[in-house]
Amino acid sequence: MIRQYLKFRKTITIACVLSLLFLIFLILTKNKNSNSSELTRHHKRLDDDFQDIGYREFDEIPKKEIYVLGEKKEIKMELSNTVEDSTKRELREVKAKVEQLEKKIAFLEGRIPQKYPEVQYLGYKERKRILVTGGAGFVGSHLVDVLMIQGHEVIVVDNFFTGRKRNIEHWFGHRNFELIHHDIVNPLFVEADEIYHLASPASPPHYMQNPVKTIKTNTLGTINMLGLARRVGAKILIASTSEVYGDPMVHPQPESYWGHVNPIGPRACYDEGKRVSETLAYSYAKQEKVSVRVARIFNTYGPRMHVSDGRVVSNFIMQALQNLTITVYGNGKQTRSFCYVSDLVDGLLALMASSYSLPVNIGNPVEHTIEEFAVIIKNLVPGCRSTVATGAAVEDDPQRRRPDITLAKKELHWSPKVSLQDGLQRTIDYFKEELSRTTFYNNQTYIDFKVKTSH
Ligand SMILES: O=c1ccn([C@@H]2O[C@H](COP(=O)(O)OP(=O)(O)O[C@H]3OC[C@@H](O)[C@H](O)[C@H]3O)[C@@H](O)[C@H]2O)c(=O)[nH]1
């Protein structure tokens, strides 16, 4: 048995070696197959990813042939280059869109009106802080516009009894502009270099409506403003009126005329109120060394008068625009001289800037009867079918009024520039606009007005 084993020993060894070699071969073959399928799976994943990216972002899908064993690294690099290109392309597209939007915004901004009227820049030495009482009113708001445009800091004080926010709303939020809702009958503490004291109702029906308030505004209010001027060392301009001449016995009226006023009549609250204002101004000037200016303002008209202001210009224009009867109070033979608001503002500025401290008339000396004036307005409104009617006269109505402006010409080098025709045309355009804004209009300012004759 042992002898037989030894005989086949060599054969058995050879068979074992061959089996072992076969086994090794089998193992190697298996490994190779598994590596290859793993790579295939990997390729498949990459392929899917590229398909996905290509579908969304790329123009060309990377070629499949490049996925061969041993080139894995290179494939990855190409992949990252392609992603980089895609990001750059995305950025370019976004940039183009932003540029497009910027152009659109610039175009739209061009269509929005500039927020504020353009104002000049003044250095700190020239720039003044200017207080305007009654700055939301008809005259006050025009003055505020000029002061703002000149580049000053403007503080408006108004109790909105007759003033309106609308007149100054175009300055709201401007860094040079401040609005204080305040009644100057109460003291006010602000800093100012100059004060334009314009606060007071100015239309006869308005100032007659609350006579005590009118007197308080022109006496207590003026004392408060003069006191403020004294405390802060400001120059102050008092807005007085042609009404200080009352129903004048001298014609035209020079500043030297003392007037003819009924101290207990319906107009006295205003006429006497303004006369006391003047007296207070010169008392503060004499006793407290306050630098005062006094403007005697004659009849003024222009845009921003209220549709129901009640004065002759607004009444006649509103009546003419609506083909209503033009209501002349009395026989219409009384006279007035009308000054356009921009001329008045120029006069006030010239007076404040001057060294002349006595009262100065600011008005337009072109005089018309009220009857003539009604016809002038009627003719300026195209297609107007209004009739002109005379009615009951107003108590204490001044019969003649025309400013002597010799002093203003000499001391202020000022005289009015706007003709009645031009000024009225601008005012008519304004009221047309107002009418189209609102259907409301209360024409019955003097409620007891009775039509007597029509012609
Ligand atoms: O509808 C009207 C309104 C007024 N009038 C007359 O037109 C004339 C002017 O009257 P207004 O009411 O416009 O103004 P007044 O001249 O009476 O007062 C004005 O004077 C100067 C300013 O300082 C003041 O703003 C204001 O008091 C008056 O004779 C008045 O009776 C009419 O005939 N019809």
Side-chain angles (χ1 to χ4, degrees), residues 302-345:
R304 297 192 193 153
M305 286 185 107
H306 201 281
V307 288
S308 50
D309 175 275
R311 277 178 279 189
V312 71
V313 178
S314 46
N315 276 8
F316 283 7
I317 292 176
M318 288 301 286
Q319 287 161 346
L321 285 172
Q322 296 172 106
N323 297 313
L324 298 169
T325 304
I326 297 179
T327 57
V328 173
Y329 303 151
N331 61 14
K333 303 291 178 216
Q334 70 272 37
T335 68
R336 293 294 187 272
S337 312
F338 296 96
C339 183
Y340 190 67
V341 68
S342 63
D343 281 334
L344 168 65
V345 168

Side-chain angles (χ1 to χ4, degrees), residues 153-194:
E153 286 175 26
V154 179
I155 306 168
V156 166
V157 174
D158 211 297
N159 67 353
F160 300 103
F161 178 53
T162 53
R164 285 180 300 168
K165 285 190 186 141
R166 238 185 87 205
N167 290 341
I168 44 165
E169 68 186 356
H170 46 285
W171 296 116
F172 287 177
H174 193 286
R175 65 181 188 281
N176 287 354
F177 180 83
E178 198 180 334
L179 171 65
I180 304 175
H181 189 154
H182 176 84
D183 192 326
I184 48 134
V185 162
N186 303 305
L188 178 71
F189 300 96
V190 292
E191 291 298 321
D193 304 306
E194 290 180 354

Side-chain angles (χ1 to χ4, degrees), residues 117-133:
E118 206 171 312
V119 305
Q120 283 172 38
Y121 174 77
L122 288 180
Y124 78 98
K125 278 185 181 164
E126 306 137 303
R127 190 169 59 231
K128 291 178 199 147
R129 194 177 292 178
I130 302 175
L131 173 67
V132 182
T133 75

Side-chain angles (χ1 to χ4, degrees), residues 24 50 60 62 247 422:
I24 291 167
F50 270 85
E60 274 181 40
D247 189 5
D422 284 356

Side-chain angles (χ1 to χ4, degrees), residues 380-382 420-430 432:
L380 280 173
V381 175
L420 187 63
Q421 174 95 11
D422 284 356
L424 282 177
Q425 197 54 67
R426 289 181 217 174
T427 313
I428 289 167
D429 292 345
Y430 169 79
K432 255 189 212 161

Side-chain angles (χ1 to χ4, degrees), residues 104-381:
K104 207 169 181 178
I105 289 167
F107 169 74
L108 290 171
E109 273 177 351
R111 289 172 53 187
I112 299 168
Q114 204 185 351
K115 204 182 168 209
Y116 299 112
E118 206 171 312
V119 305
Q120 283 172 38
Y121 174 77
L122 288 180
Y124 78 98
K125 278 185 181 164
E126 306 137 303
R127 190 169 59 231
K128 291 178 199 147
R129 194 177 292 178
I130 302 175
L131 173 67
V132 182
T133 75
F138 157 54
V139 174
S141 63
H142 284 283
L143 175 66
V144 166
D145 284 353
V146 177
L147 294 172
M148 284 293 296
I149 286 164
Q150 284 179 350
H152 296 292
E153 286 175 26
V154 179
I155 306 168
V156 166
V157 174
D158 211 297
N159 67 353
F160 300 103
F161 178 53
T162 53
R164 285 180 300 168
K165 285 190 186 141
R166 238 185 87 205
N167 290 341
I168 44 165
E169 68 186 356
H170 46 285
W171 296 116
F172 287 177
H174 193 286
R175 65 181 188 281
N176 287 354
F177 180 83
E178 198 180 334
L179 171 65
I180 304 175
H181 189 154
H182 176 84
D183 192 326
I184 48 134
V185 162
N186 303 305
L188 178 71
F189 300 96
V190 292
E191 291 298 321
D193 304 306
E194 290 180 354
I195 302 170
Y196 287 86
H197 175 34
L198 271 54
S200 170
S203 159
H206 288 162
Y207 65 63
M208 288 182 210
Q209 190 190 331
N210 190 342
V212 175
K213 181 76 183 171
T214 303
I215 298 169
K216 278 187 179 174
T217 305
N218 284 293
T219 54
L220 291 176
T222 304
I223 289 172
N224 285 331
M225 289 307 108
L226 285 162
L228 175 66
R230 181 180 60 80
R231 276 198 304 279
V232 300
K235 196 197 266 190
I236 181 167
L237 183 147
I238 307 284
S240 185
T241 171
S242 53
E243 298 246 36
V244 298
Y245 302 122
D247 189 5
M249 310 296 276
V250 173
H251 192 78
Q253 296 80 52
E255 291 82 350
S256 54
Y257 177 52
W258 289 0
H260 179 231
V261 175
N262 175 1
I264 56 166
R267 302 175 87 97
C269 58
Y270 186 70
D271 300 10
E272 297 290 19
K274 289 290 186 187
R275 285 167 73 94
V276 173
S277 257
E278 290 195 10
T279 312
L280 284 166
Y282 292 104
S283 303
Y284 269 80
K286 194 173 175 195
Q287 188 180 320
E288 306 290 341
K289 309 289 174 256
V290 174
S291 180
V292 298
R293 304 287 179 271
V294 173
R296 288 187 180 153
I297 301 171
F298 282 65
N299 296 63
T300 307
Y301 69 101
R304 297 192 193 153
M305 286 185 107
H306 201 281
V307 288
S308 50
D309 175 275
R311 277 178 279 189
V312 71
V313 178
S314 46
N315 276 8
F316 283 7
I317 292 176
M318 288 301 286
Q319 287 161 346
L321 285 172
Q322 296 172 106
N323 297 313
L324 298 169
T325 304
I326 297 179
T327 57
V328 173
Y329 303 151
N331 61 14
K333 303 291 178 216
Q334 70 272 37
T335 68
R336 293 294 187 272
S337 312
F338 296 96
C339 183
Y340 190 67
V341 68
S342 63
D343 281 334
L344 168 65
V345 168
D346 288 347
L348 297 178
L349 294 166
L351 178 58
M352 182 64 106
S354 86
S355 55
Y356 190 79
S357 59
L358 289 173
V360 181
N361 287 341
I362 310 280
N364 190 318
V366 177
E367 187 181 2
H368 288 284
T369 64
I370 294 303
E371 197 178 33
E372 283 165 6
F373 193 60
V375 176
I376 291 170
I377 288 184
K378 192 180 157 179
N379 292 340
L380 280 173
V381 175

Side-chain angles (χ1 to χ4, degrees), residues 63-74:
K63 285 182 180 136
K64 286 182 186 175
E65 295 86 67
I66 63 171
Y67 304 126
V68 287
L69 193 63
E71 287 179 359
K72 212 170 160 184
K73 227 175 166 180
E74 205 179 316

